[in-house]
Amino acid sequence: MKFLRDLLDKQKPLFHKGGKLENLFYLYEAGETFLFSPNHTNGIKGAQVKDAIDLKRMMITVVIAMIPCLLFGIYNTGHQHFLATGQTAGLWEDFGPKFLLGLQLVLPVVIVAYAAGGLVEAAFAVIRKHPINEGFLVTGMLIPLVVPATIPLWQVALATIFAVVIAKEVFGGTGMNVLNVAMTARAFLYFAYPAQISGDLVWTYLGDKAPVDGFSGATALAVAYNAGVDGQPVAQALAEHNSAIGDGLYSFYNMFMGWIPGSIGETSTLMALVGALILVGTGVASWKIIVSGFAGAYIMGLVMNLFAVNEYMAMSPEYHWVVGGLAFGIVFMATDPVSAAQTETGKWIYGLLIGILTVIIRVTNPAYPEGIMLAVLFMNVFAPLIDYYVVKANKNRRLQRATV
Amino acid sequence: MSKTIKLKKGFDIKLAGKAEKQLGDFKRAKTFAIKPADFIGMQRPKVTVNEGDLVKAGTPILFDKAMESVHYVAPVSGEIIEIKRGDKRKLLEIKILADSEVSYESFEKFTDSSIKTLSKETAIAQLCKGGVWPQLIQRPYGIVANPQDSPKSIFISGFDTHPLAPDYGFALKGEEKFFQAGVLVLQKLTTGKVHLGLELDSEIAPVFANVQGAQVNKFSGPHPAGNVGVHIHHVDPINKGEIVWTISPFGVVQIGKLFVEGKYDASKLVAVSGSEAKKAAYAKTYIGACVDTLVNGNLKQDHIRVVSGNVLTGEKINNDGYLGFYASQITILPEGDYYEFLGWMKPTSEKLSYHRALGLLSFLKPNKEYVLDTNVRGEERAFVQTGVFESVTPMDILPVYLLKAIMAEDFDEMEELGIYEVVEEDLALCEFVDVSKHPVQEIIRKGIDLIQYS
């Protein structure tokens, strides 16, 4: 390591004030601090020792928590292709080819997201003279996980750039943003290029192969919604769906496991829960938001049951946990500490409302089959308001004490 | 009514190098110094002695033109050898070369019964002249108290939960009589009560047992349960316009000695602690002592930092620097000015962390005593993680909102969020656990200054 250190030290004067490349100082710094934790020591006054954590470590923890979702997504992408084209029926048959195909489809999306976003980050760091934001480590991984594997790469790049610039950098970078950056990217795609990120045709990669007879690429959410319109019990509709490629594609178990079509990383409730376990176990994400998010969806599902006028409203509430991207959204998007509520009481309310809103949007709105994306963005906007009242309550307690 | 308060929030930083409960074999310091910067809120320090003057312990050497009645006195007898000034003639320190035997200025003596009948005015006059007044600290602001105020209560914390903090049971052994006298004097100064905070479920040190004239409140929980600011918050919180005074047990003993023995006795037992100290033990010395006799020859290695005070709120001093006026310990740590390859990612159980993020394994060994150095362990960033500061602050205060209000210089917001209830030490743990490495204590002081001087 001494060799690397010497190399860095030798280049250092180039980037410091007066050096030839002083404009690129923050790029150099990003590389240097990635390789070596800096040698800064604590100031003369104040805390003389510091906790071992820093923002880099916190962010990489989130990335690690997403790896199960990513790996699952890669295999599932291949698996869904093999299912739809009738090449294999068994889950673990053709493991290698499925994984390779998934890799071939997913890896470019990940690389493009990191590259496009990274370029924007670097450009802003150089122009605005601030350190590179580690927050992008997470954003760059989240974006690929919430788009279908069939998405055109230029759209991934465009959405990432849009989100990093408009949702984050214009506010001043990580820590200052109002909206969750990855959700903004997805919303951008959803409204700008709906054909590539909604409907029945984009979720399963077919390639140049023809699908088996009777194949339908509709997602579970679409099937559930249509069941509601047609007056067929949702559980039955889900169970019967796509019998052409094997029974029980949308069985509760399969949906919980995630062996269904959908965006790359969001299909598996199980993997999202594994991620949740990592995030909560390491204390990086708030368990309050996760618990109240799932609770909110369940409660709203129950309320819908009570007032059910169609079959979708009568759907058993636990189905809301496994269809669509609710689990992934609550675990990875809602818990973003910057855009979520920041007070402890506020987190309960914030999570609960995300769950409730998601189910309302899913069930009652014909234009948006999935509600988690809009629910998270909506609550991102309202989080400061929730916090405002929680903080106000704190101030009032202090004021009351004074006047008693 | 005495109160019992159980606190859950907080964090104990367990460090290696706790001072053994015995007197170490340290030579007495040759020089002593009083530094005006130790007295927060001192506005215009004026020296009343010249280089070459001879002083006794208790001779006034300094006063604040904004509060002239309070004397700052020499801790030991000897010769003023240097009046050190910095830029714009700012007074930095007054150095005294100590006599081998300390001689004392004499002040009026009081008997037990005459202390009880003492008038408030006499008490204040004696405290101010006798050099012990600066031991009284005013909240809000954490500044030297003003003799013209009458605080609604006075708080003493009888246990220190800071890392490697001295044990009062040992450091104040045999001082029962003086502590009791001190408490009786303090009673004269407040319209309310004198509160003594002790640790629940632990043996009461003899010095605090059977104290009369003080309400004993008991606290349990991790640091900062021993902080006097936390006690005030839970027992008699400060509202806008109210004043509370605080004083350390050592200060109370010093007051007692002034009234009972009629002398300014600045002697104290100081804990010499820290992982790099060869011999971690107590040293008998005086306020403002040069630490060279405690440090040199007592080091495991050379690349160290000497801290006057504890690792959370202390101040870096040189190997031959001087003990702060209020400090009752020094901590010797390894200096942390090194690079670490992939230090942000490497799994470690050698570095202490309140968090459990990837590879931070210290939570698996909750009782291990850590050797921590002075490395920052990362770079400063915007606030990202939430809820952490709240979880180490056992008060109904929202630290991040308060800090943001200070950064935005929003005065109303600062008041409403409780700036009057905190000083640096109360939020020092936030500075330790902060993911984004903010200088929390510096920000708090900036906020207090803004409120106080405008």
Side-chain angles (χ1 to χ4, degrees):
Chain A
M1 294 317 109
K2 177 126 183 27
F3 155 75
L4 261 177
R5 188 63 248 168
D6 290 347
L7 190 75
L8 280 167
D9 284 338
K10 223 165 127 189
Q11 307 305 323
K12 211 168 199 171
L14 268 179
F15 296 93
H16 270 276
K17 219 168 165 54
K20 260 187 194 160
L21 302 170
E22 63 171 299
N23 287 333
L24 300 180
F25 172 72
Y26 283 104
L27 281 188
Y28 168 82
E29 196 220 19
E32 189 197 5
T33 57
F34 176 85
L35 286 171
F36 292 92
S37 296
N39 62 348
H40 306 157
T41 55
N42 295 306
I44 289 174
K45 266 188 139 174
Q48 306 286 323
V49 293
K50 291 274 171 76
D51 196 291
I53 197 162
D54 68 349
L55 200 57
K56 283 187 173 73
R57 201 182 274 268
M58 194 179 115
M59 291 300 179
I60 199 77
T61 309
V62 185
V63 174
I64 300 283
M66 283 189 283
I67 299 268
C69 285
L70 177 73
L71 292 178
F72 183 93
I74 288 172
Y75 184 70
N76 188 46
T77 300
H79 177 59
Q80 292 304 324
H81 170 80
F82 276 56
L83 271 186
T85 52
Q87 295 180 59
T88 51
L91 185 54
W92 302 112
E93 274 175 62
D94 296 321
F95 181 89
K98 280 178 185 171
F99 195 83
L100 277 180
L101 177 70
L103 211 56
Q104 197 185 328
L105 291 167
V106 172
L107 209 54
V109 182
V110 177
I111 291 169
V112 166
Y114 268 118
L119 274 177
V120 178
E121 286 283 345
F124 268 86
V126 167
I127 296 166
R128 299 278 299 273
K129 305 219 179 303
H130 66 60
I132 293 211
N133 293 310
E134 289 87 358
F136 186 71
L137 283 174
V138 174
T139 311
M141 180 64 99
L142 272 174
I143 293 174
L145 294 183
V146 295
V147 296
T150 59
I151 191 144
L153 292 177
W154 64 270
Q155 289 185 5
V156 176
L158 195 61
T160 308
I161 293 168
F162 174 86
V164 172
V165 174
I166 301 295
K168 188 165 81 171
E169 286 299 341
V170 294
F171 292 102
T174 301
M176 314 287 184
N177 48 308
V178 177
L179 297 177
N180 180 295
V181 185
M183 257 332 181
T184 308
R186 192 177 196 282
F188 171 80
L189 285 175
Y190 189 83
F191 291 108
Y193 306 102
Q196 280 78 29
I197 199 168
S198 59
D200 291 349
L201 304 173
V202 302
W203 306 109
T204 307
Y205 172 76
L206 294 172
D208 48 9
K209 292 215 167 60
V212 293
D213 285 343
F215 166 78
S216 149
T219 60
L221 283 166
V223 173
Y225 188 81
N226 291 332
V229 176
D230 301 340
Q232 187 189 16
V234 175
Q236 189 194 338
L238 284 171
E240 286 171 6
H241 179 73
N242 246 349
S243 46
I245 57 170
D247 282 333
L249 180 66
Y250 288 155
S251 70
F252 187 87
Y253 172 78
N254 235 20
M255 291 193 292
F256 174 76
M257 295 302 291
W259 303 117
I260 53 175
S263 295
I264 293 169
E266 57 76 24
T267 60
S268 176
T269 307
L270 179 68
M271 291 304 145
L273 290 178
V274 171
L277 213 63
I278 297 174
L279 290 180
V280 172
T282 55
V284 169
S286 164
W287 61 272
K288 291 171 188 163
I289 293 175
I290 297 176
V291 169
S292 63
F294 280 105
Y298 194 83
I299 292 167
M300 198 60 217
L302 281 178
V303 173
M304 289 278 181
N305 287 175
L306 286 179
F307 301 97
V309 293
N310 66 31
E311 289 294 341
Y312 197 5
M313 288 177 79
M315 182 174 86
S316 203
E318 69 272 15
Y319 273 83
H320 281 297
W321 286 347
V322 296
V323 297
L326 178 99
F328 185 86
I330 285 176
V331 171
F332 293 106
M333 303 284 198
T335 55
D336 167 15
V338 177
S339 57
Q342 310 198 349
T343 53
E344 295 308 294
T345 321
K347 284 172 186 169
W348 286 111
I349 304 170
Y350 167 85
L352 202 68
L353 285 173
I354 284 182
I356 290 174
L357 274 175
T358 304
V359 172
I360 293 181
I361 296 171
R362 276 181 180 179
V363 178
T364 62
N365 191 319
Y368 307 118
E370 175 54 303
I372 185 73
M373 174 180 85
L374 294 171
V376 168
L377 289 174
F378 193 73
M379 289 315 298
N380 282 171
V381 175
F382 276 91
L385 187 68
I386 298 172
D387 286 335
Y388 174 81
Y389 282 104
V390 176
V391 173
K392 202 169 172 186
N394 177 283
K395 292 175 181 171
N396 283 344
R397 283 197 292 279
R398 195 164 287 113
L399 211 61
Q400 262 166 14
R401 195 178 71 197
T403 49
V404 159
Chain B
M1 264 305 286
S2 76
K3 292 189 179 178
T4 300
I5 289 145
K6 291 180 179 170
L7 303 169
K8 291 250 156 57
K9 295 173 171 182
F11 184 59
D12 283 323
I13 298 174
K14 295 197 178 76
L15 297 183
K18 195 166 182 56
E20 283 175 51
K21 286 184 193 171
Q22 53 172 272
L23 276 180
D25 183 22
F26 300 109
K27 281 205 190 96
R28 207 186 78 157
K30 288 202 176 65
T31 57
F32 293 78
I34 294 296
K35 296 175 273 189
D38 285 345
F39 308 107
I40 299 174
M42 184 179 256
Q43 294 174 26
R44 284 175 289 156
K46 274 274 176 198
V47 191
T48 57
V49 287
N50 296 310
E51 284 176 12
D53 286 1
L54 296 178
V55 293
K56 291 179 180 174
T59 308
I61 55 171
L62 175 74
F63 70 96
D64 181 1
K65 276 194 107 175
M67 209 155 66
E68 294 190 14
S69 62
V70 177
H71 292 181
Y72 296 81
V73 302
V76 291
S77 60
E79 182 192 350
I80 306 285
I81 45 168
E82 190 186 357
I83 295 172
K84 196 170 162 189
R85 291 180 184 275
D87 293 345
K88 298 186 186 165
R89 286 184 44 79
K90 186 183 170 192
L91 184 61
L92 297 180
E93 53 191 35
I94 304 170
K95 273 190 208 169
I96 302 169
L97 179 66
D99 297 339
S100 53
E101 195 71 28
V102 179
S103 58
Y104 297 90
E105 294 276 359
S106 63
F107 298 95
E108 199 180 338
K109 282 186 201 175
F110 295 84
T111 59
D112 283 0
S113 57
S114 66
I115 287 176
K116 279 183 183 146
T117 55
L118 198 66
S119 75
K120 184 181 174 185
E121 288 69 32
T122 328
I124 290 178
Q126 170 103 343
L127 289 168
C128 287
K129 273 204 211 98
V132 293
W133 187 269
Q135 295 287 346
L136 284 162
I137 302 293
Q138 174 203 312
R139 298 281 186 120
Y141 311 142
I143 55 177
V144 173
N146 185 337
Q148 275 151 17
D149 293 330
S150 335
K152 68 167 182 166
S153 49
I154 297 179
F155 279 79
I156 309 160
S157 172
F159 65 115
D160 192 341
T161 47
H162 282 103
L164 302 177
D167 178 84
Y168 289 138
F170 181 79
L172 299 177
K173 200 156 79 185
E175 313 276 25
E176 294 82 5
K177 191 173 86 178
F178 304 115
F179 188 80
Q180 177 64 67
V183 169
L184 292 176
V185 173
L186 290 176
Q187 253 193 332
K188 311 280 171 193
L189 307 179
T190 168
T191 53
K193 288 178 180 163
V194 176
H195 293 272
L196 173 62
L198 295 179
E199 196 170 14
L200 187 70
D201 301 331
S202 77
E203 201 185 334
I204 295 177
V207 64
F208 304 127
N210 310 317
V211 167
Q212 282 169 12
Q215 173 179 319
V216 172
N217 305 302
K218 298 216 168 173
F219 298 84
S220 69
H223 181 70
N227 275 17
V228 71
V230 175
H231 299 181
I232 298 172
H233 181 86
H234 288 281
V235 175
D236 189 11
I238 303 166
N239 302 304
K240 188 181 177 183
E242 294 177 341
I243 288 177
V244 166
W245 287 352
T246 71
I247 183 167
S248 70
F250 168 74
V252 181
V253 167
Q254 220 192 1
I255 290 177
K257 284 180 180 167
L258 176 68
F259 281 79
V260 174
E261 297 188 328
K263 66 179 186 184
Y264 177 75
D265 185 351
S267 67
K268 57 160 56 172
L269 287 192
V270 171
V272 179
S273 61
S275 60
E276 303 314 294
K278 241 190 237 164
K279 174 84 181 164
Y282 288 79
K284 188 168 166 49
T285 183
Y286 297 84
I287 287 175
C290 180
V291 298
D292 58 354
T293 56
L294 310 179
V295 174
N296 295 336
N298 190 23
L299 298 176
K300 288 182 186 162
Q301 53 137 328
D302 286 339
H303 200 53
I304 49 104
R305 174 184 293 204
V306 181
V307 177
S308 160
N310 61 70
V311 295
L312 278 178
T313 62
E315 185 176 355
K316 172 186 173 181
I317 55 175
N318 291 333
N319 289 15
D320 56 354
Y322 294 89
L323 203 61
F325 185 81
Y326 299 100
S328 46
Q329 70 179 116
I330 65 166
T331 314
I332 308 173
L333 302 168
E335 193 66 272
D337 55 344
Y338 55 86
Y339 293 96
E340 190 180 7
F341 183 63
L342 294 181
W344 59 280
M345 194 151 72
K346 221 157 63 181
T348 172
S349 59
E350 294 305 311
K351 296 178 199 155
L352 179 65
S353 180
Y354 174 70
H355 305 263
R356 280 164 303 170
L358 175 78
L360 297 178
L361 304 174
S362 66
F363 72 97
L364 297 173
K365 297 180 187 165
N367 292 319
K368 179 177 168 170
E369 291 181 339
Y370 287 84
V371 175
L372 297 188
D373 58 52
T374 61
N375 193 287
V376 180
R377 310 240 169 273
E379 305 126 276
E380 191 171 337
R381 291 289 186 263
F383 284 111
V384 171
Q385 184 60 303
T386 60
V388 180
F389 286 13
E390 284 83 350
S391 71
V392 294
T393 310
M395 300 195 257
D396 187 18
I397 277 180
L398 300 167
V400 177
Y401 283 88
L402 178 59
L403 292 170
K404 285 184 177 174
I406 294 169
M407 289 168 162
E409 304 195 357
D410 183 336
F411 289 71
D412 292 343
E413 191 84 357
M414 280 190 243
E415 274 189 357
E416 288 168 2
L417 288 167
I419 184 105
Y420 296 123
E421 298 180 50
V422 294
V423 297
E424 293 97 319
E425 63 170 18
D426 298 322
L427 296 181
L429 256 186
C430 298
E431 185 165 311
F432 175 79
V433 301
D434 189 7
V435 178
S436 304
K437 311 288 175 191
H438 285 91
V440 172
Q441 300 185 73
E442 192 184 312
I443 298 170
I444 289 291
R445 179 47 61 186
K446 184 188 154 206
I448 293 173
D449 284 349
L450 283 173
I451 288 274
Q452 191 190 351
Y453 298 115
S454 56

